[in-house]
Structures are given as structure tokens and as C-alpha cells.
Amino acid sequence: AHSVPFAPFVSREIVRPIVRAKGFARSPIQMAWVPDPAGAAQIVALITDYMNPMANQREMLNKLEQCARFPDFNNYLTHVLTSDEDAQRREDVRQSAGLLLKNNLKSSWTTTMTEDSRVYVKMTLMKALGHHSRLIRTTAGTCVALIVRSGGVESWGELYAALAQALEGGDETTRDGALDALYKTCEEVNGRLDVTVPGLPDSPAGILIPKLFALFQAPSAKVRQQSVGVVNMIAPCWPENHYALLDTYLQGLFALANDSDNDVRRLVCSGLVMLIHICPEKLAPNLREIITYMLDRQGDEDKDVAMESCEFWGAFCEADLGDDYVQILREYTPRLIPVLLTNMAYQEDDEEVIQAEDDEVNANRPDRDQDIKPTFRDTKDKGAQEQEEDGQDDEDDFVWNLRKSSANGLDILSNVFGDELLPLMLPVVEARLAQSRWEIRESAVLALGAIAEGCTTGLLPYLPQLIGFLMPMLDDARPLVRSTTCWTLSRYSRWVVQCARPSRDGETTMAQQQGMDQLNSITTALCRKCLDHNKHVQAAACGAVATLLSEAHDTLAPWTETVVQTLSQALKMYQRKNLRNLYDALQMLAENIGPSLEDARHAAALLPLMLQRWETANEADPELFHLLECITAVVIGLGQASKDFAAGIFSKCIAALTTMLQRRTQVERGEIPAEEYAIDVVICALDLISGVCEGLGTSIEPLVAQAPLRDIVLAACVDSAPGVRRSAFALLGDLSRSCPNQVMPSLQQFMDLIVAQLQPQNIISINMSVCNNASWAAGELAVRTPAQALQLFVAPLAQCMVQILDMRMVNRSLGENAAITLGRLAMVCPDDLQGGLSHMMTSWCGALRRLRDGVEKEDGFKGLVALVQKNPNAGVGALASLLEAIASWRGCRNEELARQMGELVVGYKQHVGGDAWIKTLQHELEPGVARKLSETYGV
């Protein structure tokens, strides 16, 4: 009966005063909107149908989305949620109306809603916070919080006055609704209630905090939980004019320290952790008592309380307190360290234990969809400041618990107290390692890993014994002992690698040989564990190998064959769950081990298996994108050794891009749904072709010449998705380096696209990587374009670069790429730019000064020197900036450029005269800069 499209709402304009819920203040504002009963009934019917699992969910959702186009739809949803006019209306339907309202408000509150609608919704929801049904009032609280976030804390003064009154004088129901709404509001605005609100005598925080303090001793545990929880969220943004109330806050927490409710005790610990950050001086008089309390809570019967108290040690150390505070904590370390070690042990009923032991007996069971973690892919910018991706967390899940918190606390404590913890720790660790219970032994291994960074000096002399002791534990019968041992060994990889590296004179010493033996033992053992039958151990071993590769770089070259064969076997062996860990290890191999990977045997061991996975992958599988990123890195690492596979990879990418760009056109025409255009496939395919370019260099030109790649890149450069444009401009730069002749026929279009992308209005956060890669691509094109052809684009491109350099707080990578590209333009067409040198000298030199030594910095300076040589007077006004830039070199390898810079320095000294030169050195330059110029150039 309700399957017809939704009809327009009909509303009647009347004036009706707000009905006052007990405990909430009356508002002078009146609402001039009431619903049409038929419209409300139709909304209810649609939502009821939508909730029916047998209904066509997409059809119902489309009808609800059509309803959202009507200007008073949100009013109707508010009415359905809050009105008790129909006693038969189901509460779950009313709740669904409220959740739909919340989602609508996210996009419409500040854009399409009228002021009258906003007033109606706010006042109606505020009244509903006192509704007799907790489901209704908490759903209303969710919407209230969303409105505060959308409109700003300062936009709803009436709310805070009403909440304060409800907290102080409301009945149990009204107070619960107020606390729930306030808690959710603090979550939405990160506790930032210390703002000026028109019409209020104080900030919302200043008004509400005293009311909340009064509830700390409420009979109801739920009220105590909510009130302390809200104050804890407000605490980081405590109002300065109420600094004295921090004493009341602290006393309130002390009074609840031994509360019978577990959640209240947990929140007390959380509050004390917060206070050590924001006002440690308040805790100072009672610091010993607080430390004792936190130690006692470490043994609390409730694990959440114990975990929250454990956060105190890390917070204490990270608060960067004075030596007096640290000395007080030092007094308690003999008691604290054993407690942390005890809490680092697994419990038999821990989910991680259950999963690992289940994997032990069901090693070949296929992974399920729910076993696969959601994924987020990083992006890489091209040019001067290419960032290396951080290693990923190797844990199977991200659930924080007492065990992890204790290990983290021990790690942080070891970085504060260093080797002085060893006499306290090692006897306990040694005793625990001798225990028959595997959980105790595993916690001791974990502790050795936790202190690897902080206690290095004391442990380093015993590193061979430590490694020798850990090696047998890789074969322990329990999987979590094996996996934790992998992690602990990886924590010491930096020191092992340092011992294995040859001395500067190239001679092999006994210590270095011992280091190589240790490195061999660790590498071969971890590779063996990558092929463990247990998936948990596989993941830990892959993570450990990735860490080892990132630390060792080419020091691990002698073991390239071992690592390659291991990861090749893993490609055959691993199921879906651990593929991400395997891909990370492969990427670390490709990016770090160096030229030893450039071998056709290694390519044959890895690429066929990876390409086979690509061939059989589902287009919608998120793991496909990680696989393609991994193939990209491996192709780059293999270099010319990947040439036998390049044609197949290239053609598959071209086919995928052609298909997707055709679908994009169909989407734009409305012929197919938007989700049919898979943006991630386009990004990965573009990046993979970039990888082939980087790996093969000029050898890729025959492939590019036979494909419509130029047109594909042009189309991708105008895509609406920033990620696609980012990868397209990166590929443009790589093609310019590998086969510029294939780019030149479309030089005009590419340069126009770059200039358009780099207009000031486009240089915003969401486009930053796009702009960075466009700037970089412009420079790569410039140095490979004949001067006569480049002259057409020099002026607009240079203007873009100068505008970027002159921007305040510009992204560092973008600024540096702009400086390099400007230099490359000047290298090719100095006559076209020398006239404007004085206007860009200071900002250009500032960006060049921040560059690392290398080819890009050389190009930037070559252009700068070329312009200064043609227009030396332009450099006088920015002489200090020029000298600082020249002094930023650690050592320029380009002898001609180094000579030219020296001539510039000497020439300017003669040009400005002795007095002006001395004034510049003494008053405009840092002493270190002046000293370096004097030592390097004799000035």
C-alpha cells in the first residue's frame, strides 16, 4: 500500500508554544510548523518497509532519499522520533527516523535547511531529551550532538542553559537525557566547550562543570560514570578563567578512587592520566599517593580499570616533567617493573590466544571474509621530499588491552630510565623464562623486546648471548611464543646490522665478522618462520623480515637469494589473511636491498606468482590494490631484470585503464551506476605503469609508442578524483624522464593542464599531492623540452611556481618542488626569467636552502646561478638569502656548479664592498653560516 513514490508534504502554519519537559527551561522561541498526519504516516510506512528484511532495500532507500529533497523532511523525521501522538508507533521505527535525521543533518544543517526548520528541530529535540523512553531520548541526544558539531558550539546558547538546569534540578529521566546528550556533544567537538556563546554569561564549559561536579557523588553509578566521563573530555580544553576548579576536579576524583563501580574507577584513572598532562603541578603534592593508587589499580579485579591505570606510566613519562617528578617515580620502579611484567602475560581466554591456537590445529583452513582487516592505502608524492611509508603494525588486530598497555609502559619507562632498569628487570625476566607455563615465558620475551630501544647500551655487550638464547624459542611448541620471539628479534635488528657493517677502512674485524654471523642467524631463522604452518607466526615473521630489511638496506645483500626464495614460497603458501604482511615484506625488499635484487632469477621467482594472483583476483577485492602496489615496488626494485614481464604488465594496465575510462564516460552520461567506475583500479594501474617506467627507464619507449597511453594520461589528468590526477601527473613526470618523445606531441595540452592545476584556488589540502606531482612533472618536462618549444610556457609556469613559493605555510614538499622546477625552467630559458629575479629571489632561495643535496638541488641552483649571472643586481637586495642558500650545501658533487657558486660569493663580496659585506655577515647571517662561507670560499 505504501510502495508509491513519496508525495509532497503539506504543512499548516500555526503558532504553538513549546511544551516544557520537566527539568528543561522554557524557550521564548515559538515553533510555527506542525506536521500533516498523512505525511507523517507515509514516513512511518516507508521506514517500516525499509526495516523489513524481505523488502527491496535499495528501492526503499531511494524513496527515502527522494523524500530528503523536500524542505520540511527533517521536520517530519524529528516529529516521528519525538511525538507520542500514535501509541501504536514502534520505538524501533521512531529510532530509525532519528538516525535518518542525524545522517541528513550532516549535509543539510548549514546548507539547505531554513532557519525556521532549524529552530523547530532544535527545540523539539531539546524537549525530547526528557522523554520517558531512553531509546527516544538517547537518539535525540545523538542528533543534538550532531547539530552542535555542524553549527558550532557557539550557535545554540539555549541548549547549555537547558542542560545546566536539567543537571541541577531535573528528575532522573531528564538528567539522564541531559548527561547523554552532553557526553555525545563532547565526543563530537572533542570536549571544546570553552568558547564564547552569545547570550551566556560564561562559556558552556564554565556553566556546566560545577553542575557536573555536584553529580560526582550521585547515588546512581550511571550518573557518576556520565558526569566524570564528561569532565574528563572537557579537561584538555579546560577554561582558563576556571583554573581554580581543577582542585575541585582532583578532589572529586580522589573521593571516587575506591568507588564500588568498575567504570567509575576506570574513569578516575582516566581523569588522573588527563591531569598529569594538563596540570602536573596540581598532582605534585599528592604524587606519591597517586602513584601508589595507580599501582594498586594495576591489580584491579576489572581488567579495564587495570588497563586505564597502566596508561598513567606512559603519560607520566611523556609529559616531560621535571627531574623532581621523575625522581619520585624512580622510587617506585622496583615495585612497578614486576607489576608490568606480570600484566604482560596472556590469559588463556584471550581472543588472540584462542585464534593462534586454533590456527595451530587448523593451519589449512581457508580464511573467511571476517578474518580480513579493512585496508587503507597510502599515497606517495613525487619529487624532492618523497616520503617513505611507515611500517605497518604487525599485530593481527588493533584492540588495546592490559598486556599491550603494560608493554608500552615498559617501553616508555626504559627510554626514560635506560639501563638503570636492567638490575630490576633481568632477574625477573630470567626467572620468568624458566617457568613451565608458556604465557609466563612469552611475557619475558615480550619484555626483552619492549626494552630494546631504551636499554641498548646495557644490553649491547650481551647481544650474542641474547640472540643465542632467543633462537631456540622460535621453535617453541606454542605459536604465540614463536611470534613474539620474531618481533623481539626484529627490535634488536638495528644493533645487529650496525655490528655487521664494515669499518670505514673496509677491513673485516672480528667484531664485524661476529655481527655478520648474528645477522646470518637472524635472517635465516626469520625467513624460516615466514613459512611456519601457523598464520599468526607467519604474520609476525613477515613483519620482522620487513623491519630487518628497512634497517639493513644493502647490508643484507648477501642474503638476497634467501629472502627472495622465502617470499616466493610464501606467495604460493599464504592465504588471504597474511597477504598484506607478505606484500609489505616484498615492498621492503624491493625498496631497500639495492642492486643485488636486479637479477633475472629473482624476477622469475617473484613476478609470475604475483601476476598469477593478479589474473585470478576479483576486481572488487581490496587486496588487489595492495597487490598492484606491491608489483609496482618490485618492478622498480628489479629494474631491467623485469623486462621479460614488462610487456604483459603494461598491456594489462592499458586494458584496465581503457575499460575504466570508458566506464567513467558512461557514468557521466548516466548510463551505468557510479560505482562501476573503480577509481582505485585507475590509480593502481597508473602507478604500476609509473613503476615500469622507473624500472625499465628508456627501454619502455617501444611499449609506450604502441599504446594510447598519452591520451589515457590526458584523460586521467582531468579526472574529478584527486587520487587519479595525482597518479596521472606522477606518470606524466615518469614518462618525461623515460621517453620524452612520446609526450611531446601533446606538450601544449599537458602544460595547460599543469598550469590550471597550480592556480592558487586549486592549492588546497585535498589537492596537495596532485599539485605536488604536477609541479614535479613540469620540471621533468622542462629539462627535456627544447628551449624554443618551452618558451611558450615559461611565463605561466614560472608565475605558478613563484605564487607557490610566496604562499604562507605552503606544504614543504610542494614548495621544494616548485623551487626545483623554477630552476629547471631557468636552466633552459634564462633570458625569459632573468628580468623577474628580484621579485622571487628571497622565497626561491629559502626553499632551495631546505633541499637535501642531490640532483634536484643541483638543478635548482643551476637555474638560480644562470639568472644571477645574467642579472647580478637582482641578487643584491636578497644577498643574505642567497648566501644562506649557498651555505646549505653539505658538499656539491657537481664541480662546475660548485665553482660557479664560489665565483658568485667572491663576486658579490667585491660588488657590495668591504663594509657592506661585513655588515651582511655579522648582522644578517647566523654565525655558523658566515663561518662556513669563510671556510669554503675564503671570504
Side-chain angles (χ1 to χ4, degrees), residues 849 878-888 905 916-934 939:
R849 177 169 54 85
L879 182 57
S881 296
L882 176 62
L883 294 174
E884 286 177 338
I886 291 174
S888 69
V905 173
W917 181 259
I918 292 173
K919 180 181 178 182
T920 301
L921 292 183
Q922 293 182 349
H923 300 290
E924 298 184 48
L925 299 179
E926 294 290 334
V929 174
R931 183 168 56 252
K932 186 171 184 179
L933 290 169
S934 176
V939 293

Side-chain angles (χ1 to χ4, degrees), residues 271 292 430 518 639 727 834 846 856 907:
T292 301
E430 188 175 1
Q518 292 171 8
S727 294
Q834 56 98 3
E856 290 88 358

Side-chain angles (χ1 to χ4, degrees), residues 612-748:
Q612 182 182 4
R613 284 191 177 272
W614 185 8
E615 192 67 39
T616 58
N618 186 322
E619 186 181 279
D621 186 353
E623 293 305 309
L624 171 62
F625 310 127
H626 292 280
L627 170 61
L628 294 180
E629 289 176 340
C630 184
I631 294 174
T632 302
V634 170
V635 166
I636 294 171
L638 288 166
Q640 292 292 335
S642 65
K643 62 184 179 182
D644 291 343
F645 304 93
I649 294 171
F650 186 87
S651 62
K652 196 167 176 63
C653 289
I654 293 294
L657 288 166
T658 301
T659 299
M660 284 301 154
L661 292 175
Q662 288 173 348
R663 289 187 190 176
R664 186 182 75 180
T665 302
Q666 291 175 292
V667 169
E668 291 167 351
R669 293 173 180 167
E671 297 171 357
I672 60 174
E675 54 266 25
E676 292 292 321
Y677 174 51
I679 290 172
D680 279 336
V681 171
V682 178
I683 292 172
C684 287
L686 291 169
D687 289 345
L688 184 44
I689 295 178
S690 282
V692 176
C693 281
E694 194 170 339
L696 295 190
T698 57
S699 301
I700 197 176
E701 184 156 11
L703 297 176
V704 177
Q706 298 171 13
L709 183 57
R710 189 169 60 247
D711 293 335
I712 288 173
V713 177
L714 282 168
C717 283
V718 296
D719 198 278
S720 60
V724 173
R725 299 200 307 278
R726 175 196 65 83
S727 294
F729 282 117
L731 177 53
L732 173 60
D734 284 321
L735 289 171
S736 302
R737 301 171 75 175
S738 301
C739 47
N741 291 336
Q742 300 302 318
V743 177
M744 291 304 159
S746 299
L747 183 64
Q748 175 80 52

Side-chain angles (χ1 to χ4, degrees), residues 230-253:
V230 171
V231 177
N232 285 355
M233 282 192 282
I234 294 174
C237 305
W238 198 268
E240 291 184 8
N241 60 327
H242 290 291
Y243 181 76
L245 284 178
L246 285 168
D247 291 315
T248 309
Y249 179 24
L250 183 58
Q251 293 306 316
L253 294 176

